[in-house]
Amino acid sequence: MSTLASWLFRMLTSVACLALVASAAAARNPAQTRLDFVMFGDPPLELPPDEYRFREGSLALWLAALKSPEGDLRQQAQRTLVWAHAHGMAGIEAAVVPLTQNLVRDDRLVVRLTAAQALVALDARQAAQALFDRAQIDGLDMAQLVEPALGRWGFQPLIGVWRRRLADERADRQRTLLAIRGLGDLRDDTSAEDLLRMADAAFQPADVRWAAATALGRIRRSGLEAASRRLRTRHPPASLADRLVAVRLLQSHDSPEAKSLLIEMAGDAEPAVVAEALQRLLELDPPRIVPLAERALTTGDVNVRRLVARGCFACPSAEHVTLLAGLLADPDPSLRDEVRRLLEQLAGSADWRADVVRQGERMLGDPRWTMLEQSVVLLTALDVASGRLVELLSHPRPEVYVAAAWGLRRLGAEQTLAPALKTARQRYEKREELLSGQAGQPNLDDQLAHLFEFFGQQKYQPAEDLLRSCIEKDATIPHARSAAIWALGFLHAGRPQPELVEALQERIKDVELPLPEHYWVRRFSAVTLGRMKAVAALPTLEIFREPAGIQTAVGYACAWSIEQISGQPVRPPTTAIKYHGGFFLEPSADEKR
């Protein structure tokens, strides 16, 4: 390989290694703040999950297909068995013998590969020798499929092969990586010196060095400090791969020297190195992160910022509460959510509640929409009211105006009802304009739904005409219409009105294609009829109540309402029995019966 080609190869593998480090440095949280709707829990509904079964005779068909003269049928049967095992099919161990026969005897590689895949999925340890033999002669695809499983099973002949592979400079790089990872998983101390040699070798590809350092760091919990320092101070200046390997070697170390090295590496110019060092320091000694916090926050890497946030949380102070509050505007939505939850936890302590509230109120004046959204949610979770929420109902960003509406509903301050209704009317009238170009959630539909729930919970009669206008069919705002109908049940609890009763029954009955009514609207129409004690609606509710056992939200709502009106108890929800299907071979209609 030419010098230039070698250099390019090392650069590419270094980049790949860096991407691996950055992605693994911290688990990601959901990317959007989730705000609850109270209507879905009032009345509460818990339907059991559907129970899926395999039709009788399916396994026998697939076992027979394993012995078919047609290679395609054998292959499909093997893939199907993997899926069926993952979905709980009983008796599937009967496939081990024919699968092993296909692995050993079939002349098509794809059939042997799918047979091996099935044997690994079934944890068929009795086939270990056959799998091992095939992994030696059937190429890299077979080895990558089989060797990790044999390692988990502690198959001794493979462990010897792995150890020899580390010392063989002619070994295929991918097979070498398999050996490195497998020996690391096994905590094989016999291979430690070979792994250290590979991790230290500048001529090795970056991914091989990284894998060797990872494996060695799992095997040795002490004694690698000198190797780490040597790599970090290597001359000419240590490469990125050197520094990544240096920090990775210390992943299980906890000595004072290791901590000092990690602190040094937390000041590295490369975020991937910083993230690795901070992660270990966070596990060992969170206060060590504190002096590094402000500098680390300027790296531009979300993994580093996340670790700094966790370090500040672990060592709370007024200064760290301020640092955390600043991260409520972070560009990464998952970090914003995580930081808000950390602040909520800190506020659970009397020592820090005042500081958290102070920061939250200060951030309500921040111009950044990210900060506004999170500070609204934070203060609402802490039951801290603010007149600023009414102003934010008209903010240009959906995330902010939805959070403001949710906050008003959760806080339930009577003095905010009138201005909230005024805004709701204005925005409902402009709903077509406001909804255009706003695909996905959150949006105006969510905001109106939270406000309508607010009016219902407070039994705010001035909102009735607006709520009634939402009964009319409109596919663009299903949440808002559902909430409006739900709210009307509180405004008219125990007092049915004929026109309203008739309109809600029409919503329940609207099931005709091509444009049936949204099932949320049908569900809450039934709930409101029950709250109103609408005796006249009983025939309609009976039609949709599912007398054999509740299986849907609409059926439950109808049964619940019948109970409110007549006292007839709701039958417990039933588990819906469904059958897996769409397989390449299925029992005939006669067999299914």
Side-chain angles (χ1 to χ4, degrees), residues 95-382:
V96 169
V97 171
L99 284 169
T100 304
Q101 291 171 347
N102 286 348
L103 172 72
V104 172
R105 301 173 186 172
D106 206 287
D107 58 358
R108 293 179 58 187
L109 176 60
V110 68
V111 176
R112 298 197 300 273
L113 283 169
T114 53
Q117 181 187 20
L119 288 166
V120 169
L122 270 59
D123 199 39
R125 302 185 181 214
Q126 62 268 47
Q129 185 64 53
L131 289 165
F132 174 75
D133 293 341
R134 273 298 171 194
Q136 306 311 301
I137 59 177
D138 264 353
L140 181 61
D141 287 342
M142 183 66 78
Q144 289 179 321
L145 179 63
V146 166
E147 288 193 9
L150 294 177
R152 290 194 303 273
W153 299 343
F155 188 68
Q156 290 300 315
L158 177 63
I159 296 172
V161 169
W162 278 346
R163 289 171 179 165
R164 291 191 294 275
R165 200 178 289 169
L166 295 187
D168 185 356
E169 295 182 356
R170 298 169 299 174
D172 175 81
R173 177 163 146 266
Q174 292 300 325
R175 287 181 182 268
T176 298
L177 286 169
L178 281 172
I180 292 170
R181 292 165 185 155
L183 292 166
D185 289 341
L186 292 171
R187 310 292 201 275
D188 182 60
D189 192 71
T190 302
S191 63
E193 291 305 316
D194 284 331
L195 290 169
L196 179 57
R197 173 183 52 78
M198 299 178 81
D200 190 73
F203 64 85
Q204 289 281 4
D207 58 344
V208 172
R209 297 183 66 192
W210 169 257
T214 300
L216 184 56
R218 299 181 70 186
I219 293 169
R220 292 277 174 90
R221 304 184 66 86
S222 63
L224 297 176
E225 293 88 348
S228 177
R229 184 173 293 282
R230 182 178 67 252
L231 282 161
R232 186 170 176 271
T233 57
R234 173 174 277 170
H235 293 286
S239 67
L240 172 57
D242 289 332
R243 285 138 53 206
L244 285 170
V245 168
V247 71
R248 196 62 173 165
L249 288 174
L250 303 179
Q251 64 186 288
S252 301
H253 285 44
D254 58 4
S255 68
E257 184 182 358
K259 292 178 183 178
S260 296
L261 282 168
L262 290 167
I263 290 171
E264 291 177 20
M265 289 186 277
D268 198 279
E270 175 52 56
V273 178
V274 176
E276 279 285 316
L278 289 178
Q279 178 63 53
R280 183 57 182 155
L281 285 171
L282 184 63
E283 296 165 358
L284 288 174
D285 193 0
R288 295 288 190 120
I289 292 180
V290 173
L292 313 170
E294 291 194 39
R295 181 184 181 281
L297 287 176
T298 65
T299 67
D301 186 272
V302 66
N303 296 313
V304 173
R305 299 195 301 277
R306 193 184 306 279
L307 292 166
V308 169
R310 293 172 182 174
C312 288
F313 171 75
C315 308
S317 68
E319 179 185 359
H320 295 159
V321 170
T322 302
L323 282 174
L324 285 170
L327 288 171
L328 290 174
D330 194 88
D332 187 276
S334 69
L335 180 54
R336 296 198 298 269
D337 274 5
E338 180 174 348
V339 168
R340 188 198 70 250
R341 289 193 295 270
L342 293 177
L343 286 168
E344 288 174 12
Q345 290 182 56
L346 284 177
S349 165
D351 293 335
W352 304 112
R353 179 179 172 85
D355 290 276
V356 172
V357 170
R358 188 180 306 113
Q359 291 299 322
E361 291 176 331
R362 181 174 69 86
M363 295 306 179
L364 275 182
D366 195 284
R368 293 168 291 182
W369 73 264
T370 48
M371 183 68 78
L372 290 172
E373 177 197 25
Q374 296 299 330
S375 56
V376 167
V377 176
L378 172 64
L379 291 173
T380 299
L382 301 180

Side-chain angles (χ1 to χ4, degrees), residues 425-442:
R425 290 187 191 280
Q426 294 170 345
R427 295 176 75 75
Y428 179 74
E429 290 171 3
K430 294 182 178 181
R431 64 188 180 281
E432 292 185 7
E433 172 189 342
L434 292 170
L435 284 167
S436 63
Q438 289 187 7
Q441 300 290 341

Side-chain angles (χ1 to χ4, degrees), residues 55 57-58 61-62 580-589 591-592:
R55 295 194 182 278
S58 296
L61 282 175
W62 302 336
H580 297 296
F583 300 112
F584 77 109
L585 283 178
E586 294 184 323
S588 67
E591 290 174 300
K592 290 178 184 179

Side-chain angles (χ1 to χ4, degrees), residues 538 541-542 545-548 556-571:
L538 280 172
L541 296 170
E542 285 284 356
R545 76 179 175 95
E546 299 174 339
Y556 173 78
C558 291
W560 179 87
S561 292
I562 290 171
E563 183 178 46
Q564 307 308 303
I565 297 168
S566 68
Q568 181 180 346
V570 179
R571 291 193 62 177

